[in-house]
Amino acid sequence: MNNNYLLSHRKEEPENGILYLVGTPIGNLNDISQRALNILKNVSLVACEDTRRTKKIMNKFDISNKLMSFNKHNSSIKIPKIVKDLKEGKSIAIVSDAGMPGICDPGEDIARSVKSEGIDIICVPGACAAITALVSSGLPSSSFVFEGFLPKKQIDREKILLEISKNEKTTVIYESPKRLRKLLKELFESCGGDREIIVARELTKRFEEHIGKNIYDAMNFFREREVIGEITIVIKGISKERDFVFNKTDLRKDLKELIKAGLSLSAASKYLAKKNGIKKSLIYNMNKI
Ligand code: SAM
């Protein structure tokens, strides 16, 4: 292997006219890279979600540089200014409150705008809560779905919950502590209590916890306990085999209930087939077994 590749970068950083998306810690301040510190120290300007938070990092590492507030409330005013500065040759770092800018924070908007102006973007990678939770969950992690925060609108939310319930891949979700119980209940209703899940709380911090074996366990854990701190949820996908067993038992029960309620076998099968996205004949024939 060519070691020079590992030790050097294409040019001395930061370069003029480049937007740097700089990953910062999600709790433990020691999780910042030397490269990130060099960028924060030497760019023309650091645009950050919360200047007090970023100052904390800068102070810990004895860095002083010009800070500018850049968040979802002022991004429409600040983006044109950042684009103008970059075109004039300044180097700018974007730092979010925690983790990777662009993952569920305004870093996404600035990256899109800057790219559309033909300006180069370079990412200085750092911690990300989704990846940290995923790899420490012990659940399949090489192929996964990241949903960020679920939508608030009920119809959109139900659509995603249904997708999660059928997904064969691991799903990662962000949630606020205030809404965790509601989300667990919704997951229970859509995926069943025995679906494997890990609720990762306060990752990289002093009181880091990885809670649950399955949805039922996690619900029980938080039933009596105040939910505080930052939360990321990792849900195992379904395995085809298990899904078949789960569906067969549940579907047979649903079928019986619908027929008891007065629907014909054909109508009940049609309804359940549509609801579960499977062939009508599979359900129709189930009644005969
Ligand atoms: N850009 C960030 C990243 O790369 O992870 C995420 C920003 S998003 C606005 C904040 C959400 O990330 C939190 O509400 C929580 O769901 C998750 N999160 C951030 N830090 C976390 C931590 N230390 N432990 C668990 N989840 C965390």
Side-chain angles (χ1 to χ4, degrees):
M1 192 196 293
N2 178 0
N3 282 334
N4 288 338
Y5 176 73
L6 295 174
L7 296 174
S8 67
H9 192 260
R10 51 183 200 161
K11 274 188 196 165
E12 191 152 328
E13 290 183 313
E15 289 178 56
N16 292 339
I18 289 199
L19 180 77
Y20 290 90
L21 298 179
V22 180
T24 57
I26 54 168
N28 187 327
L29 290 189
N30 288 323
D31 286 336
I32 192 151
S33 71
Q34 289 297 326
R35 188 176 169 213
L37 292 175
N38 175 55
I39 296 287
L40 295 182
K41 188 174 174 185
N42 293 306
V43 280
S44 327
L45 173 74
V46 178
C48 48
E49 240 184 312
D50 181 342
T51 51
R52 279 167 309 175
R53 268 204 185 215
T54 305
K55 233 180 207 149
K56 231 178 171 179
I57 301 176
M58 311 266 273
N59 287 343
K60 179 172 165 71
F61 295 98
D62 276 335
I63 295 175
S64 59
N65 200 348
K66 213 164 134 195
L67 297 183
M68 177 182 99
S69 140
F70 173 71
N71 52 47
K72 63 176 182 221
H73 307 293
N74 65 19
S75 64
S76 57
I77 300 167
K78 295 289 171 82
I79 287 176
K81 182 180 164 8
I82 292 173
V83 169
K84 183 171 167 280
D85 284 354
L86 287 165
K87 282 186 173 166
E88 285 170 5
K90 287 188 179 151
S91 56
I92 297 183
I94 297 287
V95 174
S96 61
D97 271 355
M100 283 303 302
I103 303 296
C104 298
D105 60 40
E108 191 175 353
D109 301 334
I110 181 81
R112 198 176 308 117
S113 307
V114 161
K115 201 82 186 170
S116 71
E117 294 283 340
I119 298 167
D120 282 343
I121 300 175
I122 286 186
C123 174
V124 179
C128 172
I131 301 297
T132 309
L134 175 69
V135 296
S136 54
S137 69
L139 299 177
S141 53
S142 287
S143 174
F144 65 95
V145 177
F146 176 59
E147 293 288 1
F149 292 96
L150 293 198
K152 293 212 173 76
K153 212 168 146 197
Q154 200 54 29
I155 187 158
D156 300 334
R157 206 171 164 87
E158 277 168 16
K159 190 170 160 256
I160 301 221
L161 285 163
L162 183 65
E163 279 170 20
I164 295 171
S165 75
K166 292 178 177 174
N167 206 335
E168 286 172 34
K169 292 182 182 169
T170 305
T171 303
V172 183
I173 304 179
Y174 285 162
E175 188 52 289
S176 94
K178 275 188 273 170
R179 289 187 290 269
L180 178 70
R181 284 202 191 95
K182 175 179 184 274
L183 176 64
L184 287 175
K185 186 167 171 281
E186 289 170 324
L187 287 169
F188 179 84
E189 283 160 5
S190 56
C191 303
D194 63 348
R195 175 77 74 91
E196 280 185 59
I197 189 178
I198 295 289
V199 178
R201 198 181 79 78
E202 296 287 83
L203 289 162
T204 78
K205 302 184 200 175
R206 187 157 166 220
F207 297 108
E208 171 165 352
E209 277 185 302
H210 300 255
I211 299 139
K213 193 168 70 198
N214 56 36
I215 295 177
Y216 185 72
D217 268 3
M219 282 176 84
N220 268 344
F221 183 93
F222 288 108
R223 207 179 299 278
E224 304 289 317
R225 216 171 289 229
E226 193 190 355
V227 189
I228 45 171
E230 299 200 89
I231 306 276
T232 298
I233 297 145
V234 188
I235 306 152
K236 189 169 185 283
I238 52 165
S239 72
K240 277 183 184 158
E241 265 167 55
R242 188 192 156 281
D243 187 35
F244 186 64
V245 175
F246 173 78
N247 270 340
K248 245 175 140 178
T249 322
D250 272 29
L251 284 173
R252 203 173 269 134
K253 206 172 121 221
D254 289 350
L255 189 63
K256 266 192 186 156
E257 271 170 21
L258 289 173
I259 291 172
K260 212 166 126 190
L263 254 67
S264 68
L265 172 60
S266 173
S269 306
K270 191 173 168 191
Y271 170 78
L272 288 174
K274 197 165 173 214
K275 188 176 161 203
N276 292 283
I278 49 179
K279 275 192 185 159
K280 180 185 163 189
S281 60
L282 273 176
I283 302 175
Y284 190 90
N285 291 328
M286 208 177 255
N287 196 44
K288 297 177 186 162
I289 304 166

